[in-house]
Structures are given as C-alpha cells and as structure tokens.
Amino acid sequence: NTWIDDDFYEIVNNPYLGHWSFVWNSFRYDSWWFRGPEHLPQDVYYRPLQNTWLAVNYWLFGLHPAGWHISQILLHALGVVLVFRMAQLITRNAVTALVAAALFGVVAAHVEPIVWISSIPEPLAATFMFASFCAYAGRMRLESPAAPLACVFYACALLSHESAVLFVLIIGAYAYLFESPREDGHDPAPRPLRTRLGITGVRMLPFLALCAAYMGARVFILGVRGAFG
C-alpha cells in the first residue's frame, strides 16, 4: 500500500515533520497545528503521541510507505499479545486467552486503523490501554490503589486518542467484579455494596485524576469549545 487521503497532509506534504520542533509543538498545540501555526487551534484533536509516532517513523523510514505500514502491523501484533495477556489475567485460562487474542487479531473492524497510516491514533491508544490494564490487573498487592506503570501507560493512551477517557470505566468494572466482592479467598461472605463501591472508587481514583489532567490540558490548548467539541 502507499499514501492515501490524510497521509499527504500529515506526512508527505508536512514541512515540519523532519524537525524536532514538530514533536515539541505537538505537545503545546493541537494535532494539526502545522497546517497554519499562525491561526491556532487548527482542529479539536490533542494527540501529541500521534505526531511523535509520525516523527519517529519519518526519521526511520523517510517517505517510503512500506516501513510505515510494517511498523503499524508490528504495533497491532503487540496489541494481540497484550489482549492474550489481558484475557489470561481475567479468565486464568490460556485456551480462552488464545481464542480471544486470535479473534482480536483478525476481526475485520481493525482493517482501517491497521492499513491506513493516518489511523495510527486508534491502535496506538489501544496498545497503551492494553498495557495499562495488564500492569494494573497483574500487579502485586501494593498499598497504592494502582501500579505506577499502569498510570504511565494510561497517560500515554490519553495523549494518543481522546477515546481513552472511557478506559476508567473498564478499570472500575474490573475492580468491582474481581477485586471487591470478598475480603479474601477464605471468606465466603460477600462484602456490602457500599464497601464494594468504595473499593472500586479508590481503584479508579488515579485514573480519574489523569483524565482530569488531560481534560485540563485540552481546555488550555483547544479552548472550552474545542476541548468538548
């Protein structure tokens, strides 16, 4: 495959792509700032890690699209491995995890974000969310409600695609269903609903704080209308 549609605007005809300032300014401005730096914001997207990915690929492959496509396929392969690990952590069953990963790897809905280079924000954010979940669900019992590494991965997901804000609900569902029902494996009595909700809220708190910080950055960079547009 070659370049199509937005690939030309974001990559091929982007005069800033080969400069280090492209990455730096992508953290300061919206994702399409390079279309008109004198009139900002240019859009309602704040995805600095998307532009970082584009810059790294440009430094590695130049304007040869084959390398870009290969890197995106490898990212998807990493996502498949992480899906296997997530399913394994939830079900404790390797066969079930293998089936889940295989279905995720070949489902037709993933064709566009894997084949179209400009769709990199979706698989990039998904991979970071998968890694965050694995770090959270596979963490050792710590005093902190969430492993720091899980929060780092989640912050990267937020900086890749805005849909990552919903990941907080996945953490909440996991905490409620798998971490709060009972005191330990030897206590058959379930915890009261209020206690379960309290534990779930504590587990979600670090991720909610990251969401709040991300939304604050969006408002600061895009304005109120842009941040919620």
Side-chain angles (χ1 to χ4, degrees), residues 46 129 150-151 154-159 161-171 204-219 227-228:
Y46 181 62
M129 284 188 281
C151 293
Y154 182 48
C156 292
L158 287 168
L159 296 176
H161 196 277
E162 53 278 356
S163 62
V165 296
L166 297 177
F167 180 73
V168 176
L169 301 179
I170 296 175
I171 291 296
M204 294 172 64
L205 192 58
F207 300 94
L208 288 170
L210 287 172
C211 273
Y214 169 73
M215 292 307 300
R218 283 182 60 89
V219 170
F228 298 97

Side-chain angles (χ1 to χ4, degrees), residues 164-184:
V165 296
L166 297 177
F167 180 73
V168 176
L169 301 179
I170 296 175
I171 291 296
Y174 178 83
Y176 182 81
L177 294 173
F178 294 96
E179 295 189 324
S180 67
R182 305 179 189 280
E183 184 68 30
D184 55 49

Side-chain angles (χ1 to χ4, degrees), residues 120-164:
I120 187 59
E122 286 91 340
L124 192 61
T127 302
F128 280 126
M129 284 188 281
F130 297 161
S132 179
F133 184 89
C134 289
Y136 175 84
R139 73 197 189 285
M140 297 178 66
R141 291 295 175 182
L142 303 174
E143 293 183 2
S144 59
L149 190 58
C151 293
V152 171
F153 284 135
Y154 182 48
C156 292
L158 287 168
L159 296 176
S160 301
H161 196 277
E162 53 278 356
S163 62

